[in-house]
Amino acid sequence: MVHAFQTSSHRKKHLDHILVRLVDASGAEGWGEIASPSAPYYGAETTATCWHIAEEHLLPAVVGAEWDHPARLRERWGKVRGNHFAAAGVDAAAWTLWAGAQGVPLAAALGGTRTEVVAGVSLGIEPTIDALLDQVRRQVDAGYPRVKLKIAPGWDIEPVRAVRSAFPDLAVHVDANGAYGGGDEEIALLRGLDAFGLLMIEQPFAPRDLLAHAALQRAVDTPVCLDESVETVHDLRTAAALGAGRVLNIKVSRMGGLTPAVAAHDAAAEYGMAVWCGGMHEFGIGRAANVALSSLPGFTLPSDVSASAKYYARDVIAPEVVADKGIVAVPDTPGLGFAVDTAFIAENRRAEAVVRA
Ligand code: OSB
Ligand code: MG
């Protein structure tokens, strides 16, 4: 990574992701990315659990199968509960293989209609407010129209105040990754954020604490956004019924693939929830899937699909994902829309497993 990233729970400078390559009988291939963090702090999965689940439970269920649509293929591992990051990589590989075989871009295969998507950037917690302002300035200079700031107890009102006063017109939102307790005191503190005209307050409380999110949404004008709380469309329906948030961050990884991500997009529209596409610092393969998903009509807010260069010294696809003033073009070539740099992957590979029919 070109810059270390710190959330309320952890700090990272280097990532190991699992890349899934599905090959069909004709030799055509599709790629997907399992973008799980290595430690179970965002969610319960880790790189190691994903490796296990993919190798022992997901891939054996799909190799050798005949299938005519990615949504049908995933039914073959339908008995597997949870483990959404692992499933997401296999699901995305099936989608890119299928879109390529149909001769259509992944975005069109998913029902996407936009030719370009608006990217925002996500900025980690910095050692000082000056360092944060520096990071914000760098991204604003690069043309990004929205920044999201990671917050945590002790790093909230003051950094937000500083960014707002230095950038009065910038679209800003905050993300706590569940770091706050859901009591009255925390709700009162977070109410203080209403003064800064934020786009949203993302996931302030623990994933299962939908009641606290609903209490906060009643107390603030700023929209509350759910991330970790929504792993399934059922979670989304419960959250909507409780009024736990007006915005949904849809992540391919967290939902378990592109199929459930599209379903969440459709369900959110029923409830009038605004959606945007979040990320897990995906390498190019997962990033390409995020860009394709973001082209669906309901993605009206800027998505965390910023350019490869914001994250990495070098990406696993060629060309890399680029942004021009925060605008990312949606590829119009069949399948993934980017060439996978297999030589670069091979040079950096730490382990490989092959699952055959
Ligand atoms: O909550 O959105 C999050 C990264 C790791 C863990 C959790 C989150 C994030 C991000 C990354 O914010 C956003 C991106 O990929 O640009
Ligand atoms: Mg988040």
Side-chain angles (χ1 to χ4, degrees):
M1 302 182 82
V2 292
H3 187 75
F5 190 86
Q6 180 163 340
T7 69
S8 56
S9 65
H10 60 304
R11 177 180 177 83
K12 54 197 187 182
K13 246 214 120 159
H14 168 267
L15 304 174
D16 290 303
H17 287 177
I18 302 169
L19 303 178
V20 180
R21 183 171 65 124
L22 288 183
V23 184
D24 76 6
S26 76
E29 57 185 36
W31 287 84
E33 181 169 335
I34 297 177
S36 175
S38 53
Y41 305 149
Y42 169 81
E45 294 172 88
T46 70
T47 316
T49 69
C50 287
W51 186 278
H52 163 69
I53 292 291
E55 188 177 18
E56 302 294 335
H57 298 284
L58 304 175
L59 294 169
V62 300
V63 291
E66 285 201 28
W67 53 287
D68 60 7
H69 191 275
R72 297 285 85 71
L73 187 67
R74 60 179 291 121
E75 290 168 2
R76 299 185 63 93
W77 72 69
K79 285 191 294 190
V80 175
R81 290 240 165 94
N83 293 287
H84 285 181
F85 277 72
V90 183
D91 169 280
W95 272 100
T96 57
L97 174 56
W98 186 77
Q102 305 292 309
V104 298
L106 179 58
L110 294 169
T113 50
R114 297 172 200 280
T115 56
E116 44 187 41
V117 301
V118 181
V121 294
S122 173
L123 298 177
I125 293 169
E126 292 289 335
T128 63
I129 286 181
D130 279 347
L132 176 67
L133 290 173
D134 226 52
Q135 288 301 314
V136 176
R137 181 159 296 106
R138 196 182 292 263
Q139 303 304 338
V140 167
D141 287 350
Y144 288 105
R146 175 282 259 166
V147 301
K148 133 170 158 181
L149 310 175
K150 291 290 182 181
I151 59 166
W155 179 266
D156 40 40
I157 302 289
E158 290 318 314
V160 170
R161 185 196 311 284
V163 169
R164 180 45 84 220
S165 83
F167 303 91
D169 303 320
L170 182 64
V172 177
H173 97 238
V174 294
D175 182 6
N177 290 108
Y180 292 85
D184 293 347
E185 244 171 72
E186 285 89 354
I187 288 179
L189 183 147
L190 292 168
R191 273 187 80 169
L193 292 171
D194 253 351
F196 304 112
L198 302 178
L199 214 49
M200 66 190 90
I201 302 170
E202 180 176 346
Q203 197 70 44
F205 309 124
R208 308 299 275 266
D209 201 351
L210 289 172
L211 294 176
H213 288 91
L216 178 66
Q217 186 64 94
R218 286 192 297 271
V220 294
D221 295 327
T222 309
V224 171
C225 168
L226 299 174
D227 176 354
E228 287 91 326
S229 288
V230 177
E231 295 186 353
T232 66
V233 170
H234 301 129
D235 294 337
L236 168 53
R237 295 192 190 286
T238 307
L242 291 171
R246 297 208 289 261
V247 179
L248 177 66
N249 168 348
I250 297 182
K251 289 186 182 173
V252 178
S253 295
R254 195 194 67 231
M255 299 305 298
L258 287 161
T259 304
V262 171
H265 161 275
D266 297 348
E270 282 175 44
Y271 296 109
M273 282 174 98
V275 304
W276 55 284
C277 175
M280 289 302 301
H281 291 157
E282 285 83 357
F283 300 157
I285 292 169
R287 190 160 300 279
N290 293 347
V291 170
L293 180 70
S294 305
S295 75
L296 268 70
F299 287 86
T300 52
L301 292 161
S303 290
D304 280 344
V305 292
S306 34
S308 303
K310 187 255 164 187
Y311 306 85
Y312 303 115
R314 183 170 165 188
D315 206 342
V316 301
I317 53 168
E320 299 188 334
V321 174
V322 293
D324 181 15
K325 299 198 169 47
I327 305 292
V328 177
V330 179
D332 56 7
T333 51
L336 189 68
F338 296 87
V340 175
D341 188 345
T342 51
F344 182 59
I345 291 168
E347 273 168 43
N348 290 280
R349 185 164 55 211
R350 300 180 55 181
E352 181 177 32
V354 180
V355 181
R356 289 184 204 283

